[in-house]
Structures are given as structure tokens and as C-alpha cells.
Amino acid sequence: MNVFEKSKESDLKFNNIFIKIDDILSNLKIYCDNIDLSSIEKIKNNFKNKIDDFYREDRKLNIGIIGQVKAGKSSFLNTLIFDGKRVLPTAATPKTATLTKIEYSENNFIDVEYYTKEEWTRLENEAVNTELGGYQIAKEIINMAKKNNIDIKLYLDKKHEKINFKSYENLMDELNDYVGENGKLTPLVKSIKLGVNKKELKEISIVDTPGLNDPIISRTDKTKQFIELCDVVFFLSRASQFLDKSDVQLLTSQLPQKGVKKLVFLCSKYDDGLVDTIFDEDSLEEANRTTKIKLRRIAKNVVEKNIIQLRNKGASEELINVIQDCKNPIFISAMAYNMSKKTIDTFDEFEQKVYENLNYNDDLNFDSLKSIGNIDTVKEIFEKVVNNKEETLIKKANSFIPDVERQIKEELINIKTIIKKRITLLSNNDKEDLIKKKKHIKEQINNISAEVEEIFGNLNIKLEKNKSKVLSELRNVIKEYSSISEKTGIDVKVNSYRVSTSVWYKPSTWGTSRREYSTYEVSYQYLDAGDALENLRNYSNESATLIEETFNKAIDAKIIKQKLLEVVINNFNASNEEYDPNYFKLLATKTLNNIKFPVVKIDITDFINDISSKFSGEIRDMSERSKLKILLSESITKLFDNITSIFLSEINKFELQLNTLKTEFSSGLLENINNEFDSVIKQVCNKEKEISLNKEILDVIDKISL
């Protein structure tokens, strides 16, 4: 029987679950003034959506490609699916990150989904509201649309547009307009679907996602909708920032909860990780060994730590096994793999640089490039995933009911916890007692506010210290990047001279000669204009990294969370029923999750254009060499001024953010406790009846069975 055909037995089981959930809602509905049932309603609706999607006639194996912007998702897919051709443009920044679905189609097409009018209006609002997390990205998208002179209303009214192509090569030529970094319509596109005539794509649906940490809400929602229906995920974490905070959150807290049953963990852009190590090792082989040991250690520590947390929360062994597989990442480099199939003379400028770095010890060959790329390993896994489609989907189908039962049970436990706490408060206090306790807790929260003020004040002091240090470091490296070294070139010169060809016994040759040639080498000094451009890029990249690290080092989320919890513990009597450590831990975590670390973007386009418009290739003339050196020095100095301005602006915004979070933490405590006490104070007026009613709710929940 086809896995997508519901058997009578399965249909009966699903109907029984719906009946049970409806019975739960029906039994508890009469207590809706006392309890919130919206979460159970949501679980029911999600369960229905998953089943409806799964048992569609055209259901394919949904494969998600997940990772942060710049993790190399599009490059990976281009190599895996399109033989290294640059079909999918890479997203250089979050503003160009678009959800892209790829499926087989006899006719090649692009199906574009534009933003709706409502979503565009929301973006416009986000672009002027500096307090929102997606402010900067929204602003860039709006500005990009204006710069491209697009008739915005025309495309918002369209909502969808489908364009057909004779071949997928033609499709490639046009795709950049819709999702490329400088694509004319890129800012208006929310998602696209590619229909490609490649038989390898039959029966599967691949999605290149912008990531669940996308700052644009409407795109994040679109991604979440897909992940809910995802069967297999290829998760990419870039080697140079392996398993950072955003990756760990995505990997351990979000993906598994969405029902993903098979997860392939890839350490992408592995060549970057190697370059970080290779200069300290005697060979590429040794650098490869050292780098993998280091990255595997990071993966092992992260996975083991999070498995402990998952077990403490009562997570299923199936979920833990999904995470367990991530201890051994697969190291890949789409760049190195593609280079292994070329010749050195066909490398572009960036590939040439990668080759030079990896060949630092003069031991790089095309076999080692292919090994570093390691895409063949992933192709084998991908092929196995596709071949095991039915097994994967059967496993997913079998998990529908256990998953929904687990979610319902967890929600019922949450409701019981709230009710029990309420009964305790009502039983042990009268109205006057509760009012006194409310007042006392308010005083305790005022004490907390003072200590929280000190914690965040110390953070600001630390930021200010780091600010001075970073500005000094940025200034110190100016000299390094402001100059470029002269290089020695060799010109081969040719001398020509005539040699007699006369032979005495052949009168006809008398007076004849031939021209012969000799060569000699002449050395010359020159500057490479490419070196000047590379210095600008390197200074920009190093500055951006240095600034971002400043914020991450200054704000150690784990330590701050511990300090906030200690403040609460020290100011509340843990023996009191109104003290709920889990609640305070949740609030502290929520506060810290709201900290948005800046992503620094430094635009060097004008500086690059200024130099490249005046100089190119080898600069031999002494006067021109002098001009290039002066222009580079001036450009780096101006770039330093720009970077300083950006950095100081980000520091100010970050400090404002911390002040907001400080206020929210204290006021959040007070608001939630006040609301709970106000609710109980109302009930205490009819104390016995309310206690009886709450006990009745507990009895009803205890009798529920799934």
C-alpha cells in the first residue's frame, strides 16, 4: 500500500485522537474563566494540518536546507544539485535571504510569491521603528526597492507570478532578478518555487531557507510553516563560526520540536576553518587533522550539554537520538570541491586566494581539494535519504499520534501546575493576607530592581571599556592595511641578429643571411592593484569581526542569567508558595533571549570603485605607484572613520536595548505577580467555592486519558 494512502486503521486512530481532544476541550470549556485552552486548540489545528499535508496525492519527501545567512546553503545546493553551476544566488545579507523551493517539473519555471500589501506595510513600519529587532533589515529592503525604481504597488497586487523558461539554463539567467543580491525585484520577493527539468528531483521537494533567525517576521513565519512539514533536514554551520549561539538555539530547541525525524549535520565552508589553522602547522594533512579534532570537540560538548538538558525536561529518546547524531559533523566545502574539477588558470580571484591559502605549505593538489570538499560523501547520504523515502515517511506517520499525545499531556500538566498554586494561595490566605503579601512582594521586587540596575550598569561599564580597546585596535591595524608591498616582475626581452647563410660551393647562396633570436630577462618593480582592493576587504572584514566579538565578549548570557536568578533567589523566600523558581528562570531566559547582538555591515563599495576606476593590474610607473599608495592610505583612513561611526552608533543602540531589558525584567516580574494575585484576591471573596471549583478542575484533568 502507498505510504500516502490512509488505511482504515490509521484513519480510525486519527479520528479517535480528534475525538479525545474535542472531549478534553468540551470537558474543560466550562472552566474557561479559570484556565486558558488556546494552546490545546492550537495543538489540534497543527495536528490536522500535518495529516492533511502528509496524505496529499502529490506529497513529496520534504528536504530542508537550514542554517544562518552566509552558512553556504545556496552554494552547497548548487554543488549538490546543479553540478557546481551558480543557479541559486547566494544571500550576502539577511535582506536578500529568500525561501526557495526546488522541485521537478517537465516545464522549467519560476513561481514568485511577493509580499502582500499588509506585509509590506508592516515592513515599512519596522523600517522606522528602531526598537524592533528587524529594523535595520527592513530599512535596507525598503531602500533597495526605492533605489531599484520598482512599481511596488504593481507587484504587491500581483501576489504571485509564474514565468516559464525553455531550459533551466535560461531560468538561471533570469533568477538573479528575483533573488540575487542586486536583483531588481529581490526586495519584493518573499519566496520562490523553481520547477526544474532534472529527473534527480522527482519525488522530492528541496527548500533553501532564510533560517528561523531571520529578522523579517513574514519570512520567518513562512520558514516555520515549511519546517513543520519537513521530513529530512541538512543543517549547515560554518566552520569559522562553528555552532555559535544562534546555531545551538536552532539545532537543539527549534528544529527537533518541529517534528524533524532525520537530521544531517554539516560543518560548511570547511576551507575557512582550515585556513585558520594551516599557518600554525607544518602540512595541510596536519592542519586538517587538528581542525577536525577541534571542531568535533565543540560539537561533542554542545551536544552532550544539550542532551542533559533535554533529558531533564523529559524529552523522548527519539528526539535525543536526532540530536545525538550531531556529535560527528560531516566537513564540507562546496568551494574546494568545485575547484577540484577546474584547472588553476580558470580559478576566479576568490578561488585563487583560497588556493594560495590552502597551499601555504606547498602540498595542495586536486585530490586534496576534492577531499576537503567532501561533497561525494554528502551525495551518498542524499541518495540514501531519497531511496529511503518510504521508510522515513512511515516513521514520520507513526510519530503523529505519539507527538500530539505528548504535547497534550504537557499542556495539561502546565494547567494543573497553575491550578495547584492557586489552590495553595486560596487555602492558606484570606483577602487581607493576600493584599499584604502582594504589597510585600512588591517591596521585594523593588529590591530586585536596584540589584538588576547594578548588574546592567556593570555591563555598560564593561562595554565602555571594550569600546576604547576596540577603537585602539582598529587604529593600530591601519598601518598594516594602509600599505602594500612592491613585487618583482620579469619581462622577457628578445634580441635579433642576422647570420650569414652563404656556402662557398653554392654561388646562389652568396650574400644570403637569416635572422636568429635570443632572449634575456629584465626585472621590474610593480604594485598589484588587486592587493589594494584585498587590503580594503580584509580591513573591513577584520573590523566587522572585531566589533561583533566585542559585544559577544561583553555580554556573557550564561553569567548574566545566573546573576539575575541569584538576585531573585536572594530576595524571595523559597519556602513560600508564591515563590516559583521555574517561572523566574523562564523570565530570566526570556529577557536574555531578547538581547539582539548587532550584525555589523560595512559598505566598502565606494572605496573599491574609487581605486578600481583608477588602477588595475600591474602598476609599473613610479609616479602611478606612488598615487596608488596615497589613495589606499587615504581610503583606509576614511574607512576607519566610517567604521568608528558605525561602531559608536551600534554601542549606543545596544546600551539603549540593555536599559529597556533591565526595565522589562523588573516590571515583568511585578506585572505577572500582580496579575496572579489580583486573580486570586477576587476568588478569595468566595474562597470555599473557588477552592472547590479549582479542585474540580484538577479532578477532571486527572481523569483525562489519551
Side-chain angles (χ1 to χ4, degrees):
M1 188 192 76
N2 189 320
V3 67
F4 301 119
E5 292 178 9
K6 264 193 290 188
S7 65
K8 289 183 179 179
E9 182 184 1
S10 295
D11 207 20
L12 181 62
K13 287 181 179 179
F14 292 145
N15 285 334
N16 284 340
I17 287 293
F18 282 118
I19 290 170
K20 287 180 180 180
I21 296 175
D22 285 337
D23 283 345
I24 291 170
L25 290 169
S26 176
N27 289 333
L28 295 177
K29 209 167 188 177
I30 58 173
Y31 309 110
C32 60
D33 289 339
N34 296 69
I35 55 178
D36 181 9
L37 299 175
S38 60
S39 293
I40 296 178
E41 290 276 8
K42 188 175 181 180
I43 292 169
K44 175 189 171 184
N45 292 334
N46 286 343
F47 180 56
K48 183 178 186 306
N49 290 338
K50 284 183 180 181
I51 292 172
D52 290 345
D53 171 80
F54 188 84
Y55 290 102
R56 287 186 289 109
E57 287 184 10
D58 61 344
R59 177 60 154 83
K60 301 174 184 292
L61 181 72
N62 289 330
I63 300 174
I65 312 298
I66 308 294
Q68 298 185 63
V69 172
K70 295 187 180 180
K73 301 187 297 296
S74 297
S75 298
F76 166 66
L77 270 178
N78 283 336
T79 303
L80 184 70
I81 305 297
F82 298 108
D83 303 317
K85 294 177 182 176
R86 295 179 181 177
V87 176
L88 303 173
T90 56
T93 69
K95 75 174 183 290
T96 60
T98 302
L99 188 142
T100 304
K101 180 180 280 192
I102 309 163
E103 292 184 353
Y104 169 80
S105 172
E106 202 169 309
N107 301 312
N108 298 282
F109 67 82
I110 302 174
D111 191 353
V112 185
E113 180 185 9
Y114 297 106
Y115 286 106
T116 64
K117 290 179 182 177
E118 294 75 19
E119 288 168 343
W120 192 257
T121 300
R122 191 185 307 150
L123 265 180
E124 289 177 323
N125 292 335
E126 288 179 18
V128 296
N129 190 341
T130 56
E131 295 180 1
L132 294 177
Y135 153 72
Q136 189 62 40
I137 306 304
K139 184 178 178 182
E140 288 179 11
I141 290 174
I142 299 296
N143 289 341
M144 188 177 175
K146 291 177 180 177
K147 183 180 177 181
N148 291 350
N149 294 318
I150 306 169
D151 185 347
I152 295 174
K153 185 176 182 302
L154 172 66
Y155 291 98
L156 299 184
D157 288 339
K158 279 186 179 182
K159 297 182 181 177
H160 270 275
E161 183 176 18
K162 187 174 182 179
I163 309 102
N164 293 306
F165 298 92
K166 290 182 180 179
S167 67
Y168 86 78
E169 284 80 8
N170 297 132
L171 180 151
M172 287 162 53
D173 293 338
E174 299 291 332
L175 185 59
N176 192 69
D177 281 345
Y178 296 91
V179 293
E181 183 181 1
N182 299 308
K184 183 177 180 182
L185 297 173
T186 297
L188 298 180
V189 176
K190 185 167 69 173
S191 68
I192 64 169
K193 179 179 177 181
L194 303 184
V196 181
N197 192 345
K198 282 182 73 71
K199 62 181 181 181
E200 299 92 333
L201 297 173
K202 284 186 176 181
E203 302 302 318
I204 63 175
S205 179
I206 302 176
V207 171
D208 179 11
T209 70
L212 290 172
N213 57 335
D214 191 330
I216 301 303
I217 296 170
S218 54
R219 293 194 313 215
T220 301
D221 289 343
K222 187 80 177 176
T223 302
K224 285 182 177 178
Q225 288 170 24
F226 172 76
I227 296 299
E228 288 278 355
L229 309 173
C230 206
D231 307 310
V232 180
V233 157
F234 285 76
F235 181 85
L236 280 68
S237 177
R238 62 190 294 194
S240 57
Q241 293 177 304
F242 191 54
L243 282 177
D244 64 9
K245 293 175 185 176
S246 296
D247 278 345
V248 173
Q249 172 71 11
L250 190 58
L251 182 63
T252 61
S253 302
Q254 298 184 40
L255 282 176
Q257 306 302 332
K258 300 294 179 184
V260 174
K261 302 302 177 189
K262 173 69 176 174
L263 193 149
V264 181
F265 184 37
L266 307 176
C267 175
S268 61
K269 296 190 175 182
Y270 179 58
D271 56 289
D272 284 350
L274 266 179
V275 169
D276 289 342
T277 309
I278 203 166
F279 303 121
D280 299 322
E281 301 293 345
D282 296 328
S283 68
L284 176 62
E285 182 181 357
E286 187 62 25
N288 190 22
R289 190 185 72 83
T290 303
T291 305
K292 286 183 177 178
I293 288 173
K294 179 182 71 175
L295 295 175
R296 284 194 182 108
R297 187 183 298 122
I298 293 172
K300 182 173 180 288
N301 291 340
V302 167
V303 169
E304 288 181 349
K305 176 183 174 183
N306 282 279
I307 283 177
I308 291 171
Q309 294 175 354
L310 287 169
R311 282 209 165 99
N312 289 339
K313 292 178 181 177
S316 68
E317 283 303 310
E318 183 183 37
L319 170 57
I320 288 170
N321 288 337
V322 170
I323 301 299
Q324 192 87 258
D325 290 341
C326 298
K327 278 186 179 180
N328 295 303
I330 299 167
F331 302 97
I332 64 164
S333 167
M335 167 75 71
Y337 186 82
N338 293 333
M339 287 168 60
S340 74
K341 297 191 291 183
K342 297 181 178 182
T343 56
I344 295 176
D345 60 310
T346 61
F347 288 168
D348 61 28
E349 183 182 350
F350 189 73
E351 289 170 332
Q352 186 67 46
K353 189 70 177 175
V354 170
Y355 184 85
E356 289 172 4
N357 287 336
L358 292 176
N359 198 34
Y360 181 74
N361 293 303
D362 293 323
D363 54 357
L364 178 67
N365 56 51
F366 285 89
D367 285 338
S368 52
L369 272 175
K370 187 176 181 181
S371 175
I372 291 167
N374 201 27
I375 296 296
D376 287 338
T377 298
V378 184
K379 284 183 177 179
E380 290 177 13
I381 294 171
F382 188 84
E383 186 177 344
K384 187 176 179 181
V385 162
V386 175
N387 291 337
N388 290 347
K389 170 187 172 184
E390 187 158 329
E391 180 185 330
T392 300
L393 293 176
I394 288 173
K395 185 178 179 182
K396 181 157 189 168
N398 290 338
S399 72
F400 284 147
I401 291 176
D403 282 352
V404 74
E405 288 178 341
R406 173 183 52 79
Q407 292 170 22
I408 293 291
K409 286 175 182 176
E410 287 175 357
E411 189 53 37
L412 290 174
I413 289 170
N414 291 338
I415 293 173
K416 284 179 67 174
T417 301
I418 294 170
I419 295 297
K420 286 178 179 178
K421 180 182 174 185
R422 193 174 294 161
I423 290 172
T424 301
L425 281 170
L426 285 168
S427 300
N428 298 340
N429 301 278
D430 56 25
K431 184 176 180 179
E432 188 175 335
D433 291 332
L434 289 171
I435 291 173
K436 284 180 181 178
K437 287 194 174 186
K438 179 182 173 183
K439 183 179 178 181
H440 177 61
I441 286 180
K442 185 176 179 181
E443 291 172 357
Q444 290 175 308
I445 290 176
N446 288 337
N447 294 334
I448 290 174
S449 297
E451 294 185 39
V452 168
E453 180 86 34
E454 183 180 352
I455 291 172
F456 280 92
N458 289 335
L459 288 181
N460 285 328
I461 292 171
K462 193 173 181 181
L463 268 178
E464 286 298 316
K465 285 182 179 178
N466 283 5
K467 179 173 75 174
S468 302
K469 183 180 177 183
V470 168
L471 290 174
S472 176
E473 289 183 29
L474 290 173
R475 190 178 291 106
N476 288 339
V477 294
I478 284 180
K479 186 176 180 181
E480 177 185 344
Y481 291 106
S482 292
S483 61
I484 49 176
S485 301
E486 292 191 348
K487 298 179 177 179
T488 301
I490 302 293
D491 271 343
V492 178
K493 301 290 185 180
V494 179
N495 270 338
S496 68
Y497 52 92
R498 302 198 71 82
V499 176
S500 174
T501 55
S502 297
V503 180
W504 66 271
Y505 55 83
K506 288 184 179 180
S508 62
T509 65
W510 294 351
T512 62
S513 64
R514 70 171 181 270
R515 185 173 294 279
E516 290 194 357
Y517 300 89
S518 65
T519 61
Y520 64 96
E521 295 181 347
V522 177
S523 64
Y524 63 89
Q525 300 300 114
Y526 72 95
L527 290 177
D528 188 340
D531 289 345
L533 301 180
E534 190 67 20
N535 275 19
L536 281 169
R537 294 189 187 99
N538 288 341
Y539 181 61
S540 170
N541 292 337
E542 185 173 327
S543 299
T545 301
L546 186 60
I547 291 171
E548 289 177 9
E549 285 178 352
T550 299
F551 291 103
N552 284 296
K553 287 178 181 177
I555 310 298
D556 189 322
K558 185 177 179 181
I559 292 175
I560 301 169
K561 180 179 177 180
Q562 187 60 39
K563 286 182 177 179
L564 290 176
L565 290 175
E566 284 175 2
V567 167
V568 172
I569 291 167
N570 292 339
N571 283 278
F572 279 97
N573 183 351
S575 63
N576 285 350
E577 290 80 3
E578 57 267 22
Y579 172 80
D580 185 348
N582 289 326
Y583 164 71
F584 295 125
K585 183 177 180 181
L586 179 65
L587 186 61
T589 302
K590 184 179 177 183
T591 299
L592 295 171
N593 286 345
N594 285 332
I595 295 179
K596 304 295 181 185
F597 291 95
V599 176
V600 179
K601 302 174 192 67
I602 300 170
D603 188 357
I604 60 171
T605 306
D606 291 341
F607 298 107
I608 293 287
N609 290 341
D610 192 22
I611 290 179
S612 58
S613 65
K614 296 182 176 74
F615 302 95
S616 64
E618 295 182 356
I619 316 299
R620 301 189 186 187
D621 182 79
M622 185 177 291
S623 173
E624 290 298 300
R625 283 168 16 212
S626 177
K627 288 178 183 177
L628 175 57
K629 287 180 178 180
I630 292 170
L631 181 56
L632 174 61
S633 178
E634 290 174 347
S635 298
I636 291 288
T637 302
K638 290 177 183 176
L639 183 55
F640 167 74
D641 292 337
N642 287 2
I643 291 169
T644 300
S645 177
I646 292 169
F647 178 49
L648 294 177
S649 173
E650 290 295 340
I651 283 280
N652 289 336
K653 284 193 286 186
F654 198 69
E655 287 175 343
L656 286 173
Q657 182 192 157
L658 290 179
N659 285 333
T660 301
L661 291 174
K662 172 189 67 182
T663 304
E664 286 177 351
F665 182 75
S666 299
S667 62
L669 276 175
L670 185 59
E671 181 182 353
N672 282 278
I673 291 174
N674 275 344
N675 289 342
E676 181 62 21
F677 269 93
D678 287 343
S679 173
V680 177
I681 286 170
K682 286 180 183 177
Q683 294 180 17
V684 84
C685 296
N686 202 346
K687 189 172 181 176
E688 297 305 321
K689 182 180 177 181
E690 291 296 337
I691 290 174
S692 175
L693 179 61
N694 281 293
K695 286 182 176 179
E696 186 180 314
I697 296 172
L698 287 180
D699 289 338
V700 171
I701 293 174
D702 286 336
K703 290 175 183 176
I704 291 173
S705 62
L706 285 169

